[in-house]
Amino acid sequence: MIRTVICSVLTLGACLNPVPTRGADALSEADKAAEHLLWAVGGRPAWARVTNTVLYSDQYRQSDGTAVGAVSTLDYDRSRLRIDLTGLHLEQVRIIDSEGDHSWRRNQDGRLAKVAEDPLARDLRRYTAHVYRTLQRIAVRDPKLRLATGRKGSLEVFEGGTRIAWYQLDARGEPYAMGAHDDDVGVICGPWQLEGRGIRYPLWVSRPDGSWRAMLKSLAVNTQVDEQLFALPRGAEQ
C-alpha cells in the first residue's frame, strides 16, 4: 500500500513538472534570443505571415537641413524593393529586383536609367541583409539562415558563411541597435511601437553619430502590390 502511494505521488509529480523535451534542451542561446526578439516585436506567427510591407518615413541627413520623405515598398515574395524619395528639389525612385534586368532608377534630374551592374550588386547585397526582411526569414525558419551569438551578446544571422544581419537586444528582447553585413556600427532605434497587422517596427532609427536619422510615420502590411510599381517605365535607357 505504501509503495502504491509513493508511486502515485511520483507519477503526479512527473505530470506537474514534466521533463523538458530534447528539442527544448537543444535550443541554443541564439535560438532563445531569436524567440525573445520575435515575441517582443509582434510574435513569430505575425512575422511569418508577412508578404510585403510599405513603410513611410521622414529622413534627415547631416549634409541636408531639410527632411526627405521616403516610401519603401518591400515585396518578400518576389525579393524586390522600391524606394521613393521626395524633398526640396529632389525626386528619386530606385528599384532593386533580384532578377536584375528589372532594376532601374530615376535620378535627380528626372532621367530614367537602368541600374548598372556594380551598384545593382551592392543593392542586392543590401536587400539580402534588410533587417526587417531578415526578421521575417527568421520567423519562417528559413533553412538557409544560421543563428549565432556575437561577442557582445548580439544575435547574429548568417547565410552561408556570411553574416547578413545582427541585433543588439534589451532586457525585453527589443533591438536597440542593429546592422548588416560587416557594418559593426549600424543604427540605434527607438521603441518598437509602430504596428501593422500585429508586427511592430521602431518609431525611429539613427546612425549613432546622428549623421542620418529617420522618423517612421506609418506601416502597411500585406497590401495589394501593383505590378506597375516595379515595371521598367517607358523612357528608361536600355
Side-chain angles (χ1 to χ4, degrees):
M1 179 64 179
I2 295 176
R3 180 178 299 174
T4 301
V5 172
I6 292 175
C7 290
S8 298
V9 171
L10 291 176
T11 302
L12 178 60
C15 293
L16 295 176
N17 299 284
V19 177
T21 63
R22 290 176 62 90
D25 285 341
L27 283 179
S28 67
E29 290 302 314
D31 290 326
K32 294 175 183 177
E35 291 292 337
H36 201 193
L37 164 58
L38 287 173
W39 286 113
V41 298
R44 183 184 292 273
W47 277 94
R49 289 192 294 266
V50 175
T51 58
N52 63 70
T53 56
V54 182
L55 177 66
Y56 298 81
S57 64
D58 287 338
Q59 300 183 4
Y60 304 83
R61 288 172 174 79
Q62 183 181 22
S63 58
D64 188 352
T66 61
V68 172
V71 181
S72 300
T73 304
L74 182 59
D75 184 355
Y76 291 43
D77 287 341
R78 288 280 302 275
S79 299
R80 54 190 182 176
L81 169 67
R82 173 178 173 132
I83 303 174
D84 293 77
L85 299 176
T86 56
L88 187 63
H89 309 302
L90 173 66
E91 182 180 352
Q92 284 188 325
V93 178
R94 193 169 188 86
I95 299 294
I96 304 167
D97 194 309
S98 61
E99 297 182 7
D101 289 342
H102 301 291
S103 296
W104 59 276
R105 67 174 180 266
R106 176 179 285 114
N107 297 321
Q108 292 188 20
D109 59 6
R111 185 170 55 88
L112 297 171
K114 296 182 71 172
V115 177
E117 182 177 354
D118 287 347
L120 175 60
R122 183 179 64 246
D123 285 340
L124 288 175
R125 184 172 183 266
R126 183 186 306 167
Y127 176 83
T128 61
H130 197 288
V131 288
Y132 303 121
R133 177 176 181 259
T134 300
L135 288 178
Q136 190 266 353
R137 295 180 68 189
I138 295 173
V140 298
R141 295 185 170 89
D142 189 328
K144 296 179 181 179
L145 300 185
R146 177 177 62 85
L147 306 179
T149 302
R151 293 190 300 272
K152 297 181 180 179
S154 61
L155 172 63
E156 299 194 336
V157 185
F158 290 80
E159 185 165 11
T162 303
R163 185 184 74 172
I164 64 170
W166 57 267
Y167 307 86
Q168 197 76 44
L169 311 181
D170 64 16
R172 298 168 297 174
E174 282 190 3
Y176 62 86
M178 53 191 179
H181 288 298
D182 53 0
D183 179 8
D184 291 325
V185 176
V187 297
I188 55 176
C189 48
W192 289 60
Q193 296 176 356
L194 183 63
E195 186 171 341
R197 290 184 180 252
I199 70 169
R200 293 194 290 274
Y201 273 32
L203 295 178
W204 57 267
V205 294
S206 173
R207 293 290 283 184
D209 64 1
S211 58
W212 176 86
R213 312 174 302 284
M215 294 292 296
L216 280 57
K217 297 294 188 177
S218 67
L219 172 66
V221 180
N222 296 348
T223 64
Q224 183 66 39
V225 175
D226 185 350
E227 287 298 317
Q228 291 302 312
L229 282 174
F230 297 95
L232 184 66
R234 292 181 180 178
E237 294 179 356
Q238 300 299 320

